[in-house]
Amino acid sequence: MDTVQRYFIEIAYNGTAYHGWQIQKNALSVQELINKVLSTLCRQNVETLGCGRTDTGVHARQLFAHADIPAKIDVLNPQFLLSMNSMLPYDIVVKRFIKVAPDAHARFDATLRSYEYHIHFSKDPFLHNLSWLLRDKPEIELMNKAAAILMDYKDFSCFSKSNTKTLTNNCLIQKAEWVQTKHGIAFHISADRFLRNMVRAIVGTLIRVGKKEMNVEDIRKVIDSKNRSVAGESVPACGLYLTEVIYPYLPVEK
């Protein structure tokens, strides 16, 4: 049996055409295509494991996966990267391979993950499927007051998709804020981990605050309820981006 070397693979993609990152039956995923191209180039089956999963239509500016690749294959050769990207669709790119220890784990070793959710307010064909078009502008000041409350809590069951198999719904949020952008507004959130559908549910709830359908302090009632039906609706996937994943042993590239 060939010896293998573990690598982290940094990937970015426009998720519009895919049913998320993770391989699924009867649906095209980003992971499926990455595995297929890697296996073709390595001439044997190679499987990846991602740092997490993104839902259908969600994008990633930075996602890491790890894979064990035959040591005889020089994936650090620029030609290998060129070959891989030439075989992948236009909406997926592999940015780099990073040699790591045999026990390095893309999912369990990540210490911080960051997402952004983008909203615009005027019809723009160049933002279609890349940002959510919202007709009425919510009050960003109210939403930021409500977002700050998130950091007082750890259990976010109220924002989790039902029937998930997670052992805990606790997450440590380190950043949650709205900012003005060129085209509208964006929500930035960072935490050690996220629950399925969590960011989109948070954004939907904060939008209700911004539209004055809820008071700022009502966020506490929502979180304390631990009930998904009490929180706001999940916003569309098109505006959501996984933007950064941090590992203690990888330098942060800016």
Side-chain angles (χ1 to χ4, degrees), residues 180-208:
Q180 299 283 348
T181 66
K182 179 180 178 181
H183 301 289
I185 58 176
F187 180 57
H188 293 222
I189 185 167
S190 300
D192 61 339
R193 64 191 291 267
F194 288 91
L195 308 174
R196 284 198 65 190
N197 207 235
M198 178 176 168
V199 180
R200 291 163 61 193
I202 287 175
V203 171
T205 306
L206 295 177
I207 290 292
R208 291 188 63 191

Side-chain angles (χ1 to χ4, degrees), residues 75-92:
V75 301
L76 299 182
N77 186 325
Q79 186 58 49
F80 187 91
L81 195 63
L82 285 171
S83 297
M84 187 158 189
N85 282 319
S86 70
M87 296 172 68
L88 287 167
Y90 70 92
D91 46 10
I92 302 174

Side-chain angles (χ1 to χ4, degrees), residues 38-223:
L38 266 178
S39 298
T40 299
L41 289 173
C42 294
R43 298 183 179 180
Q44 69 180 63
N45 185 54
V46 176
E47 295 184 357
T48 58
L49 190 148
C51 59
R53 58 188 302 164
T54 57
D55 290 334
T56 300
V58 174
H59 317 293
R61 291 201 180 105
Q62 183 182 69
L63 180 146
F64 284 100
H66 74 246
D68 293 326
I69 296 174
K72 63 184 179 183
I73 305 294
D74 185 10
V75 301
L76 299 182
N77 186 325
Q79 186 58 49
F80 187 91
L81 195 63
L82 285 171
S83 297
M84 187 158 189
N85 282 319
S86 70
M87 296 172 68
L88 287 167
Y90 70 92
D91 46 10
I92 302 174
V93 63
V94 171
K95 292 186 172 182
R96 57 178 174 147
F97 287 84
I98 308 160
K99 186 181 290 188
V100 294
D103 60 348
H105 200 286
R107 178 183 174 190
F108 297 138
D109 292 355
T111 54
L112 193 73
R113 296 166 170 87
S114 297
Y115 283 87
E116 293 177 9
Y117 192 88
H118 288 260
I119 298 174
H120 61 292
F121 303 107
S122 298
K123 186 177 179 180
D124 187 336
F126 299 105
L127 294 176
H128 180 60
N129 286 330
L130 299 174
S131 176
W132 181 35
L133 174 58
L134 187 62
R135 186 184 66 180
D136 301 317
K137 293 183 180 180
E139 291 197 18
I140 193 171
E141 295 83 3
L142 292 177
M143 294 195 296
N144 268 328
K145 288 179 180 179
I149 292 173
L150 295 170
M151 288 177 280
D152 292 340
Y153 293 84
K154 292 182 180 179
D155 187 335
F156 294 102
S157 300
C158 65
F159 297 126
S160 175
K161 198 166 188 174
S162 58
N163 301 320
T164 58
K165 297 179 181 179
T166 55
L167 296 176
T168 175
N169 287 335
N170 287 356
C171 307
L172 182 61
I173 295 178
Q174 298 187 22
K175 176 182 180 181
E177 65 175 351
W178 290 89
V179 298
Q180 299 283 348
T181 66
K182 179 180 178 181
H183 301 289
I185 58 176
F187 180 57
H188 293 222
I189 185 167
S190 300
D192 61 339
R193 64 191 291 267
F194 288 91
L195 308 174
R196 284 198 65 190
N197 207 235
M198 178 176 168
V199 180
R200 291 163 61 193
I202 287 175
V203 171
T205 306
L206 295 177
I207 290 292
R208 291 188 63 191
V209 174
K211 290 182 175 181
K212 299 183 179 179
E213 296 171 0
M214 290 175 54
N215 295 322
V216 170
E217 287 297 318
D218 287 342
I219 290 292
R220 296 190 186 278
K221 297 177 183 177
V222 171
I223 300 173

